[in-house]
Amino acid sequence: MKRFALAMLTLVTLTGGGALAFAADTAPRAGTAPDEAPRGGPPLANDRRILHVLNRLAFGPRPGDVERVRAVGLEAWIDRQLHPETIDDRATERALADLPSLRMSIPEALRQYPRPDPKLREKAQNGQLTRREMMEMSPPEKRPFRIVAELQAAKTLRAVESERQLQEIMVDFWFNHFNVFAGKGDVRWYVSAYERDVVRPNALGRFADLVRASARHPAMLFYLDNWLSARRDFT
């Protein structure tokens, strides 16, 4: 799991990508289950239903998932997914420990991954410095892009490894619905906190709570330019 997290981070970093986008089909979808069991094998009467549910309430079946759901019962599995706090997902959390920006507050992220020096940005704008040269003056572990890269890696890891599959499906759905663009200004410093503090806690909760939390978060306020919306005489 630890190697998986680091591999995902490396992949995201190498492929670049300023916007935070995540495809819901991270795991392969299964095809239609056979109508009849193989000769001499166990009956597969419920496997079609299990596959259908895993393709809708999870990122598709992983090796052994059909057997595990069959063992506990489909209804019991769905009930557990609706209460993710009852599911032991410590293995996934241990893997996520290698992605420190996920746990940072916005002020911590700004300190750990500081904005480029204004003087360097001015030189880049005047053509005295290329963008690549400006980036190379900052060590990779201090570049703000790492925040986005670690969040992308975490999304992939959770989709593949987490036992809380329905929660991850809904986090992905609502994050895409109440989307913010990490490539717009300061949003990159806010985006991990937005996913962690707004989308994730409300993914299986009340829609009204999610709307209010989203509308009030700095990531959405900056993305929609609401921080510029003020009366002229406002002080």
Side-chain angles (χ1 to χ4, degrees):
M1 291 280 281
K2 181 176 181 179
R3 291 180 179 177
F4 184 85
L6 295 176
M8 287 299 100
L9 177 58
T10 302
L11 177 62
V12 170
T13 303
L14 290 176
T15 56
L20 181 60
F22 180 71
D25 58 351
T26 304
R29 301 285 178 169
T32 304
D35 292 327
E36 298 180 359
R39 183 175 299 177
L44 299 178
N46 293 324
D47 283 8
R48 289 173 63 90
R49 294 179 63 216
I50 292 173
L51 284 170
H52 179 79
V53 168
L54 288 173
N55 280 327
R56 297 297 186 274
L57 306 187
F59 285 98
R62 300 165 298 187
D65 274 354
V66 172
E67 291 77 12
R68 283 188 285 271
V69 175
R70 190 193 302 144
V72 300
L74 186 57
E75 287 73 18
W77 183 86
I78 293 174
D79 185 66
R80 289 190 68 205
Q81 291 296 315
L82 289 169
H83 301 89
E85 69 281 358
T86 67
I87 300 174
D88 183 1
D89 211 26
R90 285 176 291 183
T92 304
E93 294 303 317
R94 284 194 294 269
L96 294 172
D98 293 308
L99 307 173
S101 67
L102 299 180
R103 298 175 294 281
M104 292 181 184
S105 66
I106 292 173
E108 288 173 332
L110 285 164
R111 287 193 297 269
Q112 184 67 26
Y113 310 101
R115 295 183 178 92
D117 187 329
K119 294 180 180 179
L120 294 179
R121 297 188 68 171
E122 185 177 350
K123 287 184 178 181
Q125 291 171 355
N126 294 335
Q128 299 174 272
L129 199 68
T130 66
R131 180 177 176 84
R132 177 180 291 275
E133 289 172 336
M134 185 177 71
M135 288 184 61
E136 288 175 349
M137 292 181 180
S138 175
E141 65 274 11
K142 289 290 186 179
R143 294 174 190 169
F145 173 72
R146 190 175 179 91
I147 301 170
V148 181
E150 289 192 359
L151 182 56
Q152 289 177 317
K155 283 180 170 290
T156 304
L157 187 148
R158 282 175 163 138
V160 175
E161 298 290 346
S162 177
E163 296 301 322
R164 300 171 179 176
Q165 285 284 291
L166 178 58
Q167 182 182 45
E168 297 310 319
I169 285 283
M170 296 310 299
V171 168
D172 186 57
F173 174 83
W174 288 122
F175 190 90
N176 284 319
H177 185 77
F178 292 101
N179 185 50
V180 296
F181 177 43
K184 181 176 181 177
D186 283 3
V187 175
R188 70 186 61 191
W189 284 278
Y190 308 155
V191 68
S192 285
Y194 178 72
E195 197 253 22
R196 180 190 67 229
D197 301 334
V198 172
V199 181
R200 188 163 292 279
N202 295 295
L204 291 171
R206 297 176 65 248
F207 180 72
D209 294 338
L210 177 57
V211 172
R212 278 192 291 267
S214 173
R216 295 169 179 171
H217 194 273
M220 187 62 75
L221 291 171
F222 194 97
Y223 175 59
L224 296 180
D225 295 328
N226 286 358
W227 65 287
L228 296 173
S229 179
R231 288 169 46 180
R232 292 183 179 180
D233 59 348
F234 178 78
T235 58

